[in-house]
Structures are given as C-alpha cells and as structure tokens.
Amino acid sequence: MAEQAQYEELVRQFSAFGAVKREMGRTLPSDCPAGSAAVLTLLSRHGHMRMSKLAELLAVDMSVTSRHVAHVVERGWIERSPDPADKRSRILRLTPAGVAQVDRLSRCTTEMLAQRLSDWTDDEVAQLTRLMARLRSCFDEQTPRTPATPAITQ
C-alpha cells in the first residue's frame, strides 16, 4: 500500500486535473457547453433513458438536468417521447443530428488530446488509459473495500 504522502500528492494532482478538464471544455463547440456535451455523451453510451436516470448519471439535480435537456432538445440533438410504462415520464433519445454532434465532440476532444500528448509514447498513453480505467472501476464498485475515511483537504 502506498504511503500517506503519496495519497496526499494524488489528491493534489486530482485537484490540478481540473485544469485539464477546463481546457477540454474550451475545445467544445460554442453551441454545446459541457453540460450539453455530458447529456449527449451519456445518451450515446447508455442509450435512451428517462430524465431521472440521466440526472442520476450526471449526479445533478433534476432542475439542472432539465435545463441541459432543454438546450439539446432546442438544437434537435435529442427528442423526448412519452414513456409507454408511465405516461407522465419522458424517454430521451439521440436524434441523427445528436449522433452527428456526439461524433463532432469526440473528434474535438480526441484531436486536442492527440495534440497535447504528442510527445508521449503509445505505451505511455495506453498505461494512462489503463490506470484511469482501473481507478474509475474502484469508484464504480458498489461496496467499498475499506471503510470510508475523511477527505484530505489542501
């Protein structure tokens, strides 16, 4: 197990990673802010879903989700249709224009990463990808392996 100082440095790096996320957000087209991009990406990844499921995946309030959804509906990237199982609910689906927008977003972020990591070897990019996937899976698990500990603040 790593020493406490290594975890403290990891926390600092996570905090600094916010700059990477902000830079990635700046590469998005002006008509598709980060919240809209997240909606489109989740629908692309998980398929059609109810608004409540989308809010859960976004980890935001329903009112925030509704604003993001309204933005992408106005642009014709998703459609809302009645849920056959519950007429009060709506099912959200990507439209063909939405699929095209997801492809555009993917190209933008992929090109930016390729440019910023141009001096990395293929092995280094693959290693970062594997480690990030492994880290994410640790947080995706339903049951933590160890009891929760207080967050380290800087």
Side-chain angles (χ1 to χ4, degrees), residues 1-12 152:
M1 185 160 167
E3 293 187 26
Q4 184 71 21
Q6 289 176 298
Y7 290 116
E8 291 169 356
E9 178 58 23
L10 187 56
V11 169
R12 283 189 286 278
I152 299 170

Side-chain angles (χ1 to χ4, degrees), residues 17-38:
F17 196 76
V20 173
K21 287 187 71 173
R22 285 188 296 280
E23 179 67 19
M24 290 177 76
R26 284 191 282 275
T27 67
L28 297 174
S30 61
D31 63 343
C32 191
S36 297

Side-chain angles (χ1 to χ4, degrees), residues 43-63:
L43 285 169
S44 177
R45 183 177 300 139
H46 297 282
H48 64 278
M49 66 183 75
R50 286 183 175 182
M51 182 97 72
S52 57
K53 178 65 176 177
L54 181 61
E56 178 186 319
L57 291 171
L58 289 169
V60 297
D61 186 80
M62 279 292 278
S63 64

Side-chain angles (χ1 to χ4, degrees), residues 10 13-14 17-18 20-21 24 113 117 120 123-140:
L10 187 56
Q13 291 302 320
F14 283 144
F17 196 76
V20 173
K21 287 187 71 173
M24 290 177 76
L113 284 171
L117 303 180
W120 288 41
D123 286 343
E124 288 170 327
V125 173
Q127 181 180 12
L128 177 62
T129 302
R130 277 191 308 275
L131 291 173
M132 288 180 75
R134 182 176 174 193
L135 175 66
R136 170 112 190 228
S137 72
C138 291
F139 286 85
D140 286 344

